[in-house]
Amino acid sequence: MVNDTVPSSPRNAELSMQRDAAELLYKNSFAGILISAIASSALVFGFDSPEYSFFQHVWFSIISLVLVIRFWDSLHWHKYLSGTEFNGQRATHRFVSGTLVTAVLWCIYVVTMYAHVEIIELACMIVVVSAMAGGSATVLAAHRLTAMAYVFALLVPFSIGMLLSEQDYQNILGMLGLSFSIVMIVASKKASDFTVQAIHLKHENIALVNHMEEQVALRTQEIYELSNIDALTGLFNRSAFLNEAKLQLEQADTKHEYLALLFIDLDGFKKVNDSIGHATGDQVLVQASIRLQEEAPDNHLLCRWGGDEFLLMLANMDEDEVVAKAESMIARISEPYEIDTNRISIGATIGVAFYPEHARNEIELIQLADTAMYSQKKKTPSSVGIFSDVLGYKISREQKLKVRLTDAIEKNEFRLVYQPIIDTKKQTVFAFEALLRWQLDDETIAPDEFICIAEQYGQIRKIGAWVLKEACLATKRWQDRDPKFLNIGVSINVSVIQMQEENFTSIVQDALTESGLHAGYVYLEITESIFANDMDKMFQQVTALQNMGVKVSIDDFGTGYSSLSVMQDLAVNLVKIDQSFIQKIESNGRSIVNAVMDISDGLGFKVVAEGVETPEQMAQLVSLGVNYLQGFHLARPLEERDISNYLDSI
Ligand code: C2E
Ligand code: MG
Ligand code: MG
């Protein structure tokens, strides 16, 4: 059976079964037609019956015409309909009509002729119709009524005729024929039932297989979604994105195209999650992902990379186009979100890296876009940053320093240098500022480069504690060794992160105890950035330090967050005016220094001018009454071994 097309509905299954039945009938049609043609020719032309010759010839012409039409119909079916979605019911009707007409013609022939033929011819007629009736049981099995009617038409009237004949032997043949007819009709019915059932079974199997295939397809889809789709946003997840991105990179290689990867990170999302709740956070993510999808060009590859991070791949857009697209995405993401009764605002920072310009594979491309995003977020959140080689160098250097910082203390790579702070009136050294140096292989790395890395990766506490102890030990060592060091203090830089430590005061106390240095010689330099933190905690910390006898300086004054009221409450001991104002002392720097000097008396702090580089600057600062001076004009930071000589030289 060719008709194995997949029936997807009961109606389709019905049509398919009708086609199967027609197919079975037509596949055997040539044999049936041929047998009829041979049998009719043999009976008409094989025996000589002059009285019935006219009837025989007319009958033969009619049956020949019918057989030709049936032959043509079968030919047409085999050539044009077989294997197609033909109308099975119509084809069966055509076939059945032709077969039944043939059966009726045979019936007419035998009923007309049996009484007038010799016994030999009668025997031949009986053999022919019996054989044809026997064959029809299987050949016509696909159509039960036709199979039964065919047997009936061929045998029953003929047998009844013989049964009613006056000839005894014909009565016997009639009886036999009738019995044979009954058996054949029953056999035809059974064969038909079997065939029809087989067709039904076949279709039930097809339906079953289809159902199983549907189930398998459904499960496959479920598994695909579980492993490729982000459940919250419906976007691709990490693994699906990586697979697709790999393909896009391969395509870009063959087509010599270029790709841009956008690393999109929401700004302020954590705050939404923490303050309003995760359910609202989820809704923001869903809405943000919809906006991104709307903004992205057709056939885009977009995924939720994790948390509040999304990735978008853009093909064949130059840098200006990518930036324009990224900016419009940021604008769209930054529109307010109305969720329940809340009106929520977030932003997004986007980092971009290009393939093949920047990266060799998708993993690297994502990393670089992430790097560009991260660096951009630190500089200017809610804007677009493009990866560059300079940025790449910066990042790889940062990574190297971060790794090497972890055991720099153990490897003795740190040392302190000391820059004198001069008392303007006495012209003596008031204190040395301890400045950290890092000897990494052949390179001396300045603190401006590595302190922020140490702060970022949590190494500053350990390093800061080392500096504190080392500076206290050195100062005490000098004081013990040489009386000229007596009354010279040490100024130690302290990071905000150290100040936030609960046990910072005990770390300072440990350094003092271990070194034996008197607390009154120690000045801790804190920057104004501590005022951006929890003010109460910072006040407590500063007060606790001062209660220990340690003095506190504000470093780089004027560059950060200080306000007069804060200065008043904090009661710091020293204020170090940032070198940028000293460099501009001829212009507006002077008024800043003046203002600080004005309040210093009232608030009870002394003033240090940092970065004094010229005699003119020094003269101006002296005339303004600044208490202490520090800068290259007076002395550069000194190695420990040079300090004693320096003191002798002034
Ligand atoms: P700072 O505390 O303001 O230190 C003064 C910086 O200015 C020092 O740079 C010093 O060498 C430089 N300087 C001194 N006089 C002049 C001058 O006349 N002209 C110019 N242009 N610069 C001058 P340095 O040693 O590179 O330190 C930079 C910064 O690194 C320090 O600024 C401080 O914030 C930080 N730092 C240094 N050591 C430590 C440390 O042990 N711990 C912490 N947390 N930070 C440190
Ligand atoms: Mg300092
Ligand atoms: Mg400073």
Side-chain angles (χ1 to χ4, degrees):
M1 294 178 205
V2 217
N3 236 339
D4 282 345
T5 43
V6 179
S8 55
S9 67
R11 174 69 190 142
N12 280 350
E14 180 66 31
L15 293 175
S16 179
M17 283 194 285
Q18 288 171 358
R19 275 195 294 275
D20 278 355
E23 187 176 333
L24 273 177
L25 295 171
Y26 271 103
K27 282 215 162 154
N28 295 312
S29 61
F30 288 128
I33 293 165
L34 189 68
I35 285 170
S36 266
I38 294 169
S40 56
S41 309
L43 289 179
V44 170
F45 301 109
F47 300 95
D48 197 18
S49 327
E51 308 123 76
Y52 287 92
S53 160
F54 177 71
F55 163 76
Q56 281 183 309
H57 284 92
V58 171
W59 177 85
F60 183 76
S61 309
I62 295 171
I63 199 162
S64 298
L65 182 68
V66 170
L67 292 178
V68 167
I69 293 171
R70 282 183 63 197
F71 180 77
W72 176 85
D73 178 44
S74 294
L75 214 60
H76 174 263
W77 182 88
H78 275 89
K79 199 160 177 199
Y80 299 109
L81 302 183
S82 171
T84 66
E85 302 259 309
F86 67 95
N87 185 327
Q89 201 172 28
R90 197 181 299 157
T92 302
H93 283 161
R94 262 198 330 270
F95 182 90
V96 164
S97 313
T99 309
L100 288 180
V101 169
T102 312
V104 169
L105 283 170
W106 275 111
C107 177
I108 291 170
Y109 187 84
V110 289
V111 167
T112 311
M113 295 297 291
Y114 81 93
H116 313 288
V117 293
E118 295 292 318
I119 192 153
I120 286 288
E121 192 176 346
L122 184 62
C124 284
M125 280 165 60
I126 291 171
V127 168
V128 165
V129 290
S130 300
M132 289 201 304
S136 71
T138 43
V139 168
L140 301 176
H143 199 267
R144 189 197 295 144
L145 226 60
T146 309
M148 289 164 69
Y150 195 85
V151 175
F152 183 89
L154 251 62
L155 293 177
V156 174
F158 180 30
S159 303
I160 292 174
M162 287 197 291
L163 202 63
L164 299 176
S165 160
E166 283 160 13
Q167 307 279 346
D168 287 347
Y169 75 92
Q170 286 202 0
N171 294 156
I172 294 167
L173 286 174
M175 187 58 108
L176 273 174
L178 214 52
S179 313
F180 184 61
S181 313
I182 293 164
V183 172
M184 282 309 300
I185 288 170
V186 172
S188 296
K189 184 183 174 299
K190 283 198 172 161
S192 279
D193 286 349
F194 181 79
T195 307
V196 169
Q197 204 183 5
I199 294 175
H200 268 103
L201 275 175
K202 175 198 160 190
H203 284 274
E204 271 175 26
N205 282 344
I206 291 175
L208 210 66
V209 168
N210 280 345
H211 179 69
M212 277 165 66
E213 279 173 358
E214 272 169 27
Q215 289 293 313
V216 169
L218 217 67
R219 284 286 144 80
T220 313
Q221 178 67 16
E222 275 172 19
I223 291 167
Y224 173 82
E225 287 188 0
L226 275 178
S227 55
N228 289 286
I229 303 294
D230 171 57
L232 181 66
T233 59
L235 297 177
F236 270 150
N237 63 14
R238 264 177 189 238
S239 69
F241 185 87
L242 284 173
N243 291 339
E244 286 294 320
K246 196 180 171 68
L247 292 178
Q248 289 211 2
L249 261 60
E250 281 167 12
Q251 270 179 21
D253 284 340
T254 43
K255 292 185 190 164
H256 303 290
E257 288 176 349
Y258 53 94
L259 300 168
L261 187 93
L262 279 67
F263 197 110
I264 305 158
D265 189 271
L266 302 185
D267 299 332
F269 176 73
K270 191 177 174 309
K271 219 154 119 196
V272 174
N273 243 356
D274 293 347
S275 57
I276 315 180
H278 286 252
T280 309
D282 281 355
Q283 297 223 33
V284 171
L285 283 177
V286 171
Q287 290 196 20
S289 73
I290 293 170
R291 293 183 190 185
L292 287 176
Q293 272 175 292
E294 286 169 358
E295 281 297 314
D298 290 344
N299 302 325
H300 57 272
L301 178 56
L302 178 67
C303 92
R304 182 173 171 218
W305 186 242
D308 60 351
E309 298 166 344
F310 299 85
L311 298 187
L312 173 67
M313 184 88 90
L314 298 176
N316 282 330
M317 285 171 99
D318 66 26
E319 194 173 309
D320 290 345
E321 289 169 325
V322 170
V323 170
K325 179 48 74 187
E327 278 171 349
S328 77
M329 285 182 147
I330 293 173
R332 192 73 212 290
I333 289 288
S334 306
E335 286 167 19
Y337 297 77
E338 310 277 352
I339 292 168
D340 302 331
T341 52
N342 300 304
R343 192 177 157 88
I344 295 161
S345 284
I346 55 165
T349 304
I350 300 182
V352 185
F354 286 92
Y355 178 85
E357 188 185 335
H358 296 134
R360 283 157 301 170
N361 57 46
E362 65 283 0
I363 307 280
E364 205 182 353
L365 189 64
I366 295 167
Q367 272 169 1
L368 299 184
D370 185 7
T371 300
M373 183 283 294
Y374 181 73
S375 141
Q376 190 66 22
K377 192 171 271 219
K378 272 203 287 187
K379 271 192 295 182
T380 328
S382 287
S383 62
V384 186
I386 306 276
F387 182 82
S388 67
D389 292 340
V390 174
L391 181 63
Y393 172 77
K394 211 179 120 200
I395 298 295
S396 70
R397 170 130 172 123
E398 192 176 304
Q399 289 304 311
K400 177 186 156 186
L401 297 190
K402 172 193 146 189
V403 172
R404 298 290 300 267
L405 268 178
T406 49
D407 57 358
I409 292 177
E410 290 73 14
K411 287 185 167 167
N412 272 328
E413 290 170 349
F414 286 135
R415 71 177 194 285
L416 292 175
V417 292
Y418 299 89
Q419 188 175 29
I421 301 171
I422 307 292
D423 186 315
T424 323
K425 283 210 179 94
K426 297 185 198 159
Q427 293 288 307
T428 54
V429 175
F430 157 74
F432 286 102
E433 178 174 4
L435 294 163
L436 188 56
R437 294 291 177 268
W438 182 17
Q439 192 64 38
L440 184 67
D441 306 328
D442 299 335
E443 201 183 355
T444 304
I445 304 176
D448 278 335
E449 187 177 7
F450 70 83
I451 292 288
C452 56
I453 298 175
E455 285 178 338
Q456 214 172 311
Y457 298 104
Q459 295 146 323
I460 193 68
R461 292 191 184 93
K462 191 175 153 194
I463 296 172
W466 181 88
V467 170
L468 262 167
K469 198 188 291 176
E470 194 61 27
C472 292
L473 282 169
T475 309
K476 179 67 174 141
R477 207 162 46 234
W478 306 333
Q479 288 183 352
D480 288 349
R481 203 188 300 150
D482 196 330
K484 70 183 173 216
F485 282 97
L486 283 174
N487 298 323
I488 298 180
V490 65
S491 211
I492 304 167
N493 292 285
V494 169
S495 156
V496 182
I497 294 171
Q498 288 173 274
M499 286 291 285
Q500 286 166 339
E501 264 185 297
E502 292 297 334
N503 65 341
F504 181 63
T505 46
S506 50
I507 291 171
V508 175
Q509 189 56 60
D510 285 351
L512 292 172
T513 312
E514 207 175 308
S515 62
L517 184 69
H518 189 269
Y521 291 113
V522 175
Y523 294 82
L524 295 184
E525 296 192 7
I526 54 178
T527 55
E528 292 167 298
S529 55
I530 65 156
F531 302 125
N533 291 271
D534 180 352
M535 288 289 285
D536 290 343
K537 197 172 160 195
M538 288 302 140
F539 276 131
Q540 282 171 17
Q541 200 78 293
V542 168
T543 312
L545 289 167
Q546 286 176 327
N547 289 342
M548 282 163 57
V550 169
K551 300 198 174 64
V552 175
S553 316
I554 296 289
D555 200 357
D556 305 335
F557 182 82
T559 54
Y561 302 80
S562 296
S563 71
L564 280 178
S565 70
V566 170
M567 297 294 292
Q568 190 173 18
D569 293 346
L570 204 55
V572 291
N573 306 93
L574 275 177
V575 166
K576 299 183 77 176
I577 302 174
D578 189 69
Q579 47 183 282
S580 57
F581 300 109
I582 310 307
Q583 251 91 84
K584 291 185 289 190
I585 194 80
E586 303 294 343
S587 51
N588 54 358
R590 189 181 172 88
S591 47
I592 300 282
V593 178
N594 233 336
V596 176
M597 291 312 299
D598 280 351
I599 56 168
S600 67
D601 271 351
L603 295 182
F605 59 77
K606 298 273 191 251
V607 179
V608 182
E610 291 188 285
V612 184
E613 292 183 344
T614 64
E616 292 77 23
Q617 287 167 355
M618 185 172 148
Q620 293 254 17
L621 292 162
V622 171
S623 74
L624 285 167
V626 171
N627 310 93
Y628 307 108
L629 301 175
Q630 179 183 359
F632 294 165
H633 174 60
L634 298 131
R636 288 196 171 251
L638 304 165
E639 295 292 338
E640 192 181 342
R641 61 175 179 272
D642 300 327
I643 287 179
S644 185
N645 288 342
Y646 168 76
L647 281 183
D648 294 337
S649 71
I650 55 168

